């Protein structure tokens, strides 16, 4: 099979080329990042990191979705990280998140961390600076009606920007005051891709956009600059108003992605989260 | 998903009596407190751990749905109230 100079080769192409009875191995290499190891047709993986097919999937698709530059960190539940209580970013600043009070790591596709909505949460070990232009992207799945109207999917120290789900399944945001985003329902039975972008506008007026499953659901002048604060998933600062649901992927950018980029991002993992 | 999980509310004053290797919380530092700071809770899967059984102020065992109901009340939930 002739390899193209850039871009992606899908597994279906490889399967077609090798056929069901092939004994060939697929060697995965990327010049700038080293040897990704070998995946044999039946023998599993050998070679260097990453250590599973699903982890390789994460790595191999990732270069497509980070253009242009500006990514801060990328956490994916297919790659947990350092230890049972850590979730390490696989791109950007390699920031580690602590898994507090035993979120369940579900390791069958789509891999995710399940939060029971009582006291478990995930927290960045370091302060995060998103700046005056940023994007927050989360693959999530609501698993129950929330027990109050401000159960946090995402929180920050000093509440610089919080994302909550209310008892009706609607999204609420906090940026100095609460707003209900009635166009965004987070109570779907399936996995949902929630993306919030913010651009301060440099004096021309701020714009915050919210996308649900690649579609622009809301455009407002809300949002604000985020600088130097730890971020929490599943609770507000320091653990309270806990959200019940599952989180499969969490990405931060120091820029406001475009609608086209968000559609690409959604497309990269839609099939995986539909498994 | 949490059918085998149990939750026990007790007074914060006994938080150092818990063996955190026996429960699902990381440590006393990650406990969730009631809004007045007087109560907290721990959770475990399966049988009640010894250090939980020994608590003097423990309340009746709650299921996942029962603790969620409790945590939605004004004693435990700030309901979006924020003092920045």
């Amino acid at each position: 099979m002739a390899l193209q100079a850039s871009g992606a080769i899908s597994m279906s192409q490889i399967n077609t080329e090798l056929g069901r009875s092939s004994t060939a191995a697929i060697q995965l290499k990327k010049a700038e990042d080293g040897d990704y190891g070998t995946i044999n047709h039946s023998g599993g993986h050998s070679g260097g990191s990453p250590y599973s097919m699903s982890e390789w999937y994460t790595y191999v698709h990732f270069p497509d979705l980070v253009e242009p530059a500006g990514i801060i960190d990328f956490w994916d539940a297919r790659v947990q990280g350092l230890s049972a209580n850590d979730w390490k970013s696989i791109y950007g600043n390699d920031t580690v998140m602590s898994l507090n009070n035993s979120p369940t790591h579900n390791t069958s596709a789509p891999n995710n961390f399940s939060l029971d909505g009582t006291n478990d949460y995930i927290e960045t070990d370091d302060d995060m600076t998103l700046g005056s232009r940023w994007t927050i992207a989360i693959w999530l799945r609501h698993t129950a009606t929330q027990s109050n109207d401000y159960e946090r999917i995402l929180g920050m120290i000093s509440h610089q920007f919080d994302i909550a789900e209310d008892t009706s399944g609607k999204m609420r945001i906090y940026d100095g005051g609460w707003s209900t985003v009635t166009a965004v329902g987070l109570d779907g039975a399936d996995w949902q891709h929630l993306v919030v972008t913010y651009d301060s506008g440099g004096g021309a007026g701020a714009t915050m956009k919210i996308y649900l499953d690649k579609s622009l659901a809301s455009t407002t002048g809300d949002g604000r600059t985020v600088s130097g604060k730890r971020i929490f998933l599943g609770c507000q600062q320091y653990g309270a108003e806990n959200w019940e649901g599952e989180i499969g992927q969490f990405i931060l950018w120091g820029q406001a992605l475009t609608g086209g980029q968000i559609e690409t991002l959604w497309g990269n993992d839609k099939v995986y989260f539909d498994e | 998903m949490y059918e085998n999980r149990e939750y026990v509310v007790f007074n914060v004053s006994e938080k150092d009596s818990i063996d955190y290797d026996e429960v699902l919380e990381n440590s006393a530092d990650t406990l969730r407190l009631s809004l007045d700071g007087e109560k907290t809770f721990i959770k475990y899967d399966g049988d009640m751990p010894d250090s939980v059984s020994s608590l003097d102020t423990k309340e009746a065992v709650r299921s996942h749905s029962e603790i969620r109901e409790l945590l939605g009340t004004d004693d435990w939930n700030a309901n979006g109230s924020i003092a920045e």
Side-chain angles (χ1 to χ4, degrees):
Chain A
M1 178 172 60
L3 294 175
Q4 57 201 48
S6 62
I9 297 171
S10 71
M11 285 307 297
S12 59
Q13 285 177 272
I14 296 172
N15 289 340
T16 300
E17 191 72 25
L18 296 179
R20 281 176 172 269
S21 60
S22 171
T23 57
I26 304 167
Q27 287 195 318
L28 307 168
K29 293 176 182 287
K30 183 164 171 283
E32 60 268 42
D33 290 342
D35 186 359
Y36 278 159
T38 299
I39 298 173
N40 296 310
H41 79 291
S42 60
H45 161 271
S46 63
S49 176
Y51 298 99
S52 73
M53 188 67 178
S54 59
E55 292 180 17
W56 166 75
Y57 174 82
T58 299
Y59 277 71
V60 80
H61 81 249
F62 186 63
D64 288 339
L65 63 85
V66 295
E67 296 295 339
I71 196 159
I72 296 172
D73 273 304
F74 176 157
W75 294 270
D76 192 300
R78 283 165 277 192
V79 187
Q80 183 169 353
L82 304 175
S83 72
N85 288 325
D86 289 331
W87 188 19
K88 186 182 179 185
S89 165
I90 57 174
Y91 201 91
N93 295 323
D94 296 336
T95 303
V96 173
M97 299 190 86
S98 293
L99 306 170
N100 293 316
N101 302 336
S102 306
T104 303
H105 188 203
N106 298 311
T107 55
S108 54
N111 290 17
N112 65 80
F113 289 101
S114 181
L115 302 163
D116 73 359
T118 65
N119 66 353
D120 47 7
Y121 62 97
I122 304 169
E123 171 189 8
T124 60
D125 286 0
D126 301 322
D127 291 336
M128 308 299 295
T129 295
L130 277 59
S132 59
R133 294 179 176 83
W134 48 259
T135 297
I136 297 169
I138 310 174
W139 275 100
L140 55 82
R141 192 170 77 92
H142 148 123
T143 54
T145 300
Q146 303 306 315
S147 59
N148 217 314
D149 281 332
Y150 301 90
E151 308 296 63
R152 302 301 204 286
I153 297 167
L154 180 143
M156 291 185 191
I157 296 289
S158 301
H159 303 282
Q160 284 202 335
F161 189 78
D162 286 4
I163 300 173
E165 179 186 345
D166 69 20
T167 53
S168 300
K170 297 302 183 187
M171 178 184 184
R172 298 193 183 198
I173 59 167
Y174 184 86
D175 60 355
W178 282 106
S179 303
T180 302
V181 187
T182 55
V184 177
L186 297 171
D187 53 351
D190 298 325
W191 282 88
Q192 295 179 294
H193 190 227
L194 177 65
V195 181
V196 182
T197 71
Y198 172 75
D199 188 333
S200 67
T207 302
M208 189 182 75
K209 296 182 179 181
I210 300 172
Y211 298 80
L212 187 65
D213 293 331
K214 78 178 179 180
S215 298
L216 178 61
S218 172
T219 302
T220 69
D222 295 330
R224 57 180 166 177
T225 295
V226 173
S227 57
K229 301 297 179 185
R230 294 208 315 279
I231 294 178
F232 299 77
L233 294 176
C235 71
Q236 59 135 306
Q237 61 173 355
Y238 305 124
E241 296 183 286
N242 294 67
W243 176 77
E244 181 170 350
E246 297 170 335
I247 291 177
Q249 189 182 85
F250 175 47
I251 315 179
L252 302 172
W253 278 267
Q255 65 177 26
L257 296 188
T258 67
Q261 289 169 325
I262 290 164
E263 183 169 353
T264 299
L265 187 65
W266 171 86
N268 273 325
D269 282 307
K270 173 61 177 168
V271 172
Y272 175 73
F273 280 102
D274 277 349
E275 286 183 30
Chain B
M1 180 171 183
Y2 304 108
E3 296 83 4
N4 197 37
R5 183 164 294 183
E6 294 184 339
Y7 301 79
V8 174
V9 175
F10 61 98
N11 287 356
V12 170
S13 58
E14 288 197 282
K15 66 180 182 180
D16 293 331
S17 300
I18 295 291
D19 178 350
Y20 289 94
D21 290 332
E22 295 181 337
V23 298
L24 294 173
E25 284 69 24
N26 290 32
S27 70
D29 294 335
T30 63
L31 293 175
R32 178 172 175 177
L33 308 184
S34 57
L35 295 186
D36 65 7
E38 295 293 318
K39 297 279 188 180
T40 187
F41 66 93
I42 52 83
K43 60 190 179 185
Y44 52 88
D45 289 328
D47 296 332
M48 183 182 287
D50 290 342
S51 67
V52 179
S53 297
S54 301
L55 293 172
D56 293 328
T57 61
K58 66 179 181 294
E59 298 181 4
V61 169
R62 286 180 165 87
S63 66
H64 179 246
S65 60
E66 288 169 337
I67 193 77
R68 288 272 289 153
E69 183 177 355
L70 175 69
L71 297 175
T73 65
D74 292 343
D75 287 341
W76 289 84
N77 199 300
N79 203 22
S81 177
I82 287 173
E84 287 193 70

